[in-house]
Amino acid sequence: MTRTILLLLLSVNLVFAQEFTSVVRGSVKDADTGLPLARATVQLDDKGGITDEAGQFRFEGARVGRHILTISFVGYQTLVIQEILLESGKENVQDVRLSATGRQLQEATVSGSRPPAYNSVQSITVEQTLRYAATYLDPARVATSFAGVAAANDQANGLVVRGNSPNSMQWRLQGVEIVNPNHLSNAGTFSDRPTSTGGGVNILSTQLMGTSYFMSGPFPAQYGNAMAAILDMSLRKGNNEKSEFTAQAGLIGLDIAAEGPLSKRNKGSYLVNYRYSFTGLLGAMGVNFGGEDIRFQDLSFNVEIPTKGNGSFTLFGLGGISSNDFAADKDSLQWETDKDSYNIKYKNKMGALGATLTQPIGTRGTYHAAFAISGLHTTRLATPLYQRWQPYGDIEGGSRLTNNKISANTSYAHRMNPNHRLTLGTFLLFQEAERPTLTNESLHVWTVQPYVNWGWKISESLSAEVGLHSMISKVRSDRADVHASVEPRLALRWQSSADTRWSLSYGMHSQLQSADLYTAYYGVSDNYKNLQLGPSKGHYFTLGYQRNFSNASLLKIEAYLQNQYGIAVGTSLERTYSAVNLVEQVPNIYYENKGKARNYGIEVTYQKLLTNQFYLLATGSLYKATYATAAGLWSDARFDGRHTLSLTGGKEIKSGARNIWGFNAKILWIGGFKERPIDEEYSRKLNYTIESGDSYSVKLRDYFRPDLRIYWKKSHRSYNRTLALDLQNVSGTQNEAYHRYDAFQKKVVVQKQLGLIPVLSYRWEF
């Protein structure tokens, strides 16, 4: 009996003392050619190894927890990937791309890929998305922690970057431009109508995301048709050796992902994810929030098939359906605002399907092609519960928007020698949009964007990127001209020491007008549309300084100037209107490309990666955003908030060999945006909001929001799980969104943004 008890106690102790392990593996390739680098040195913490002939490496039996991966190869830049989390039941697979380089900049990175630009670029990893507070697993919300970036509204992920309208941002997926990839694209807007770049939550689940890049300009030559920012999203490949599954349940929704090998012979993989909103489940049971029934669901996938010669073919897609139904209160005595008397139905459908091909050619070149078809369709109908003589103009009515894009990209990159790299490519874009007006005319516009980029290592400490981008565009109309521009791009980087570098970037950029502007009418026939408008243009300059420190941290300072011209502005009736202030409402007037805008500022970033169980990202900016009308009168722009400040940080505490507790916080302090004053007396007569004045002279109060995320990770023998609680706006601060005239209250009211939003989630990986 005594022996039995001792054996049981010993078994229990062994179970609790057992240290769980998993696998860290991956590949090391040349960033320019995609060819594998054999015999590269790879080190996981203090354990070393080398890659095989296929550039593959593997570390078996690595303990679960945080690790540092270092990769080096003669003649290439050494990469130090700091933020690697290994969990039981889940292999960690790294796709590392090394760049040929001379003098080394001692730099700690969060991913193994080369940033696409010298200046104004930030990587967004899945690790950050899962760790940062109140991201809703959305990469666009991660970007609010970056310098010069502000959320346009709590309810949506539309971004104001360096004082530019959210509509000046471009979404890319797998290297090609797509339509707005968000559920509920009307979220947080004044008119409750859809926007072209934002929404309630990204349709693409974090489960499929690889490392994405957020750029705020000047952009390299391979990027075009954007004036403010580009969020270049990439899909990760599924595990090609082992089947793995992830399930997550929370107040955002139910998330289920599966990945694994297609077959053992070709080493291909699949990755698929389905998500259904938690609010949709409650809605199906008759539960709503404040009279609103909000639902969404989406499906996304990525299939990768290796080709001969270390190439790769992928097939990817995503699709999402969302709706927001508001039911009027039948008891009119309970009405508090004009919205309470309406039945409002909003529906949003978005989908994309595409393919990519990457094929090394010889030992120095790589051919790449990408293609995608994407579409967005939204409808909104607001009808009063009881008929009345005078409508509530801000709410009543219907709208419909259809936006389709066909995008293609083909390029060839060739490294002539370690000092010279040449890339040639072309983007093709066809866009079809329909926003019914009096004439119900559809918009058809195409663009051709050839580009060339030359990377030149001038000396051991000085390198350059010299490029040329051109955009040729045409609206399909007899009244529209072909518009063409040649856009030079230049970036210089001087590495003054092993830990310090200076950089200077310039770029000329252009962007097509939004479908709202092209289809805005100023008459009752097809001859009175704004199809003659050309793209907006601008000259962008950025001067940067970066200092790296030994504790995996860096200090970055950037000063920038953006001189924009050819902006669409009103030349009749509402002469003070400028497209730089556009979100979702477009006056039906005549426009010309006679406006200007000027944004300038300075940004500071201090980033400490997750080492010693602590990380910190502190960013701030001071900026000025102005615009000029057709008459040449300058005034403050709508998004001239003057400053942004973000503090994002966290601490992890390891409890035994199996548990990790994480405490994460984010604080946002952003200068209030601006509005035009409202003529309350005139609004009362017409029963809807009427703005007065010629400029944005009303400043909203500064925006302040603290967020908190607490998680508990625990590893088991064959799986791991995470229990997390997110608290958005933990202080319950009532930030201002906008002012409007409420036709029921007969006065101007201020619309508040979201208060405290708790989100509980449970994640299981096996």
Side-chain angles (χ1 to χ4, degrees):
M1 183 68 180
T2 304
R3 287 184 179 180
T4 303
I5 295 176
L6 290 174
L7 286 173
L8 287 173
L9 290 175
L10 180 60
S11 300
V12 171
N13 287 333
L14 287 174
V15 169
F16 280 98
Q18 185 178 5
E19 190 175 73
F20 296 119
T21 63
S22 190
V23 176
V24 177
R25 64 180 180 88
S27 61
V28 180
K29 298 179 181 179
D30 184 291
D32 297 319
T33 66
L35 293 173
L37 296 178
R39 305 193 67 79
T41 301
V42 184
Q43 184 170 324
L44 185 68
D45 299 327
D46 56 355
K47 181 187 294 186
I50 59 173
T51 58
D52 61 19
E53 293 301 317
Q56 303 287 324
F57 67 89
R58 175 185 292 268
F59 292 96
E60 297 275 4
R63 59 175 175 77
V64 299
R66 296 288 177 183
H67 295 275
I68 299 175
L69 184 67
T70 305
I71 306 98
S72 60
F73 192 69
V74 176
Y76 287 78
Q77 181 181 10
T78 297
L79 282 182
V80 181
I81 306 176
Q82 295 280 347
E83 300 184 335
I84 290 183
L85 175 61
L86 184 61
E87 298 179 281
S88 57
K90 197 81 170 177
E91 293 184 347
N92 189 291
V93 184
Q94 297 287 324
D95 182 17
V96 180
R97 302 298 177 102
L98 294 186
S99 303
T101 185
R103 188 176 179 183
Q104 295 290 323
L105 174 65
Q106 299 303 318
E107 181 175 18
T109 63
V110 295
S111 68
S113 56
R114 179 175 60 198
Y118 282 178
N119 279 320
S120 307
V121 58
Q122 284 276 2
S123 62
I124 301 176
T125 66
V126 176
E127 165 68 20
Q128 290 171 313
T129 309
L130 293 173
R131 182 163 21 98
Y132 285 10
T135 66
Y136 294 164
L137 305 183
D138 187 338
R141 294 179 189 270
V142 174
T144 59
S145 294
F146 301 156
V149 181
N153 190 286
D154 274 347
Q155 298 181 47
N157 59 11
L159 300 177
V160 174
V161 183
R162 293 181 169 177
N164 291 284
S165 164
N167 287 8
S168 298
M169 177 182 156
Q170 180 190 115
W171 291 88
R172 283 196 179 197
L173 178 62
Q174 295 292 77
V176 289
E177 183 177 344
I178 61 171
V179 300
N180 184 4
N182 290 290
H183 290 298
L184 302 171
S185 56
N186 67 326
T189 60
F190 177 90
S191 67
D192 196 33
R193 288 168 174 81
T195 64
S196 62
T197 58
V201 65
N202 200 317
I203 291 175
L204 184 62
S205 171
T206 299
Q207 317 279 32
L208 267 77
M209 296 287 287
T211 298
S212 302
Y213 285 99
F214 184 82
M215 291 168 284
S216 51
F219 309 120
Q222 63 266 35
Y223 294 95
N225 196 29
M227 293 285 281
I230 297 174
L231 182 49
D232 194 354
M233 301 184 296
S234 297
L235 303 178
R236 70 179 179 89
K237 300 174 183 178
N239 193 321
N240 63 358
E241 295 183 2
K242 175 186 175 184
S243 295
E244 295 179 338
F245 303 91
T246 300
Q248 179 167 297
L251 295 182
I252 295 297
L254 301 177
D255 231 329
I256 301 174
E259 60 184 288
L262 289 175
S263 69
K264 294 183 178 180
R265 284 191 296 176
N266 64 13
K267 292 295 185 180
S269 66
Y270 71 90
L271 175 60
V272 62
N273 185 90
Y274 175 75
R275 179 171 56 178
Y276 193 90
S277 62
F278 181 74
T279 52
L281 293 175
L282 293 180
M285 296 185 291
V287 180
N288 58 54
F289 298 87
E292 297 195 33
D293 183 350
I294 302 174
R295 307 186 187 193
F296 67 83
Q297 59 179 316
D298 50 61
L299 176 70
S300 48
F301 68 90
N302 186 34
V303 177
E304 191 261 344
I305 302 174
T307 61
K308 293 182 179 180
N310 296 293
S312 174
F313 173 81
T314 68
L315 180 67
F316 64 91
L318 70 153
I321 301 174
S322 56
S323 63
N324 186 351
D325 295 344
F326 179 84
D329 194 326
K330 296 181 180 180
D331 184 0
S332 61
L333 296 178
Q334 302 298 318
W335 293 353
E336 297 180 357
T337 69
D338 48 9
K339 181 180 178 180
D340 293 332
S341 64
Y342 276 90
N343 290 315
I344 305 174
K345 293 184 177 295
Y346 185 88
K347 297 186 182 300
N348 193 114
K349 298 179 181 179
M350 183 270 169
L353 180 66
T356 69
L357 173 65
T358 301
Q359 188 66 50
I361 298 177
T363 60
R364 295 186 177 182
T366 300
Y367 173 76
H368 178 78
F371 174 82
I373 301 175
S374 59
L376 172 69
H377 180 72
T378 68
T379 59
R380 177 187 181 274
L381 181 63
T383 56
L385 180 63
Y386 304 118
Q387 296 297 321
R388 52 177 170 272
W389 291 105
Q390 195 173 32
Y392 296 161
D394 285 341
I395 297 177
E396 190 165 310
S399 65
R400 186 173 83 245
L401 169 66
T402 298
N403 190 12
N404 301 314
K405 290 183 179 181
I406 301 176
S407 304
N409 169 28
T410 180
S411 65
Y412 173 72
H414 184 82
R415 192 178 67 220
M416 294 170 281
N417 55 52
N419 296 330
H420 298 278
R421 183 182 70 255
L422 185 67
T423 304
L424 303 168
T426 300
F427 281 94
L428 301 175
L429 173 66
F430 176 76
Q431 180 177 357
E432 178 186 38
E434 180 182 350
R435 182 184 288 276
T437 58
L438 293 178
T439 59
N440 288 324
E441 181 179 326
S442 297
L443 170 71
H444 301 271
V445 57
W446 57 262
T447 69
V448 179
Q449 301 174 62
Y451 67 89
V452 58
N453 190 75
W454 175 32
W456 179 22
K457 190 181 73 172
I458 303 173
S459 68
E460 290 300 308
S461 59
L462 183 64
S463 58
E465 295 277 347
V466 182
L468 204 61
H469 183 101
S470 179
M471 187 163 84
I472 306 166
S473 62
K474 175 71 166 68
V475 176
R476 198 171 73 185
S477 170
D478 295 338
R479 291 169 287 114
D481 297 326
V482 174
H483 299 276
S485 62
V486 178
E487 305 168 3
R489 313 287 172 85
L490 172 65
L492 296 171
R493 183 167 64 194
W494 175 46
Q495 195 171 302
S496 59
S497 68
D499 54 12
T500 303
R501 74 182 180 201
W502 298 80
S503 53
L504 175 66
S505 300
Y506 161 75
M508 178 181 173
H509 303 294
S510 61
Q511 184 177 24
L512 297 171
Q513 306 298 332
S514 70
D516 297 320
L517 281 169
Y518 284 121
T519 56
Y521 61 90
Y522 54 96
V524 293
S525 74
D526 288 350
N527 293 324
Y528 294 95
K529 290 292 187 105
N530 283 281
L531 302 178
Q532 83 290 344
L533 287 171
S536 300
K537 299 180 181 180
H539 296 283
Y540 288 42
F541 304 86
T542 297
L543 175 64
Y545 166 82
Q546 181 172 319
R547 175 68 183 274
N548 288 56
F549 303 103
S550 58
N551 61 342
S553 63
L554 62 86
L555 173 68
K556 182 163 56 179
I557 303 174
E558 291 189 345
Y560 65 89
L561 170 65
Q562 301 176 348
N563 275 324
Q564 302 174 1
Y565 61 98
I567 305 298
V569 292
T571 58
S572 61
L573 298 178
E574 195 174 347
R575 298 177 59 87
T576 59
Y577 180 84
S578 173
V580 300
N581 302 309
L582 169 67
V583 178
E584 83 281 4
Q585 287 181 306
V586 179
N588 289 312
I589 58 177
Y590 182 70
Y591 297 96
E592 288 187 308
N593 295 103
K594 293 185 176 181
K596 297 181 180 180
R598 183 181 299 121
N599 299 346
Y600 57 89
I602 186 169
E603 299 172 349
V604 179
T605 298
Y606 174 79
Q607 183 172 18
K608 179 188 180 301
L609 301 180
L610 182 54
T611 57
N612 299 323
Q613 292 78 52
F614 174 73
Y615 73 94
L616 177 66
L617 177 60
T619 68
S621 72
L622 297 174
Y623 71 96
K624 181 71 176 174
T626 59
Y627 75 100
T629 63
L633 300 177
W634 287 87
S635 59
D636 294 341
R638 176 178 181 176
F639 301 105
D640 181 35
R642 303 293 179 92
H643 68 83
T644 67
L645 177 66
S646 172
L647 295 175
T648 304
K651 174 70 175 177
E652 285 191 342
I653 300 175
K654 190 172 182 180
S655 175
R658 301 169 56 191
N659 299 278
I660 296 178
W661 289 84
F663 302 89
N664 307 267
K666 179 169 68 175
I667 298 176
L668 300 176
W669 176 33
I670 301 168
F673 299 142
K674 297 183 178 179
E675 299 178 319
R676 288 182 174 179
I678 295 176
D679 188 327
E680 188 167 355
E681 182 178 353
Y682 197 21
S683 298
R684 188 176 295 111
K685 290 180 180 179
L686 298 181
N687 221 35
Y688 62 90
T689 304
I690 299 295
E691 295 176 336
S692 65
D694 293 334
S695 62
Y696 289 83
S697 58
V698 177
K699 185 179 183 301
L700 297 174
R701 291 204 306 263
D702 281 4
Y703 175 98
F704 177 80
R705 195 188 84 196
D707 302 327
L708 183 65
R709 175 175 173 83
I710 302 173
Y711 59 77
W712 173 28
K713 294 178 175 291
K714 187 169 185 177
S715 292
H716 297 266
R717 182 181 300 277
S718 58
Y719 70 93
N720 71 85
R721 60 106 179 113
T722 302
L723 179 65
L725 174 64
D726 278 277
L727 298 173
Q728 177 177 295
N729 197 357
V730 67
S731 65
T733 304
Q734 292 291 300
N735 292 301
E736 295 180 344
Y738 48 79
H739 291 84
R740 68 179 186 89
Y741 177 78
D742 189 289
F744 180 76
Q745 300 183 43
K746 302 296 182 182
K747 66 178 181 179
V748 174
V749 298
V750 58
Q751 181 70 38
K752 300 293 186 178
Q753 299 201 46
L754 298 177
L756 172 64
I757 304 294
V759 177
L760 185 67
S761 64
Y762 181 86
R763 183 181 178 88
W764 185 31
E765 296 176 297
F766 58 99

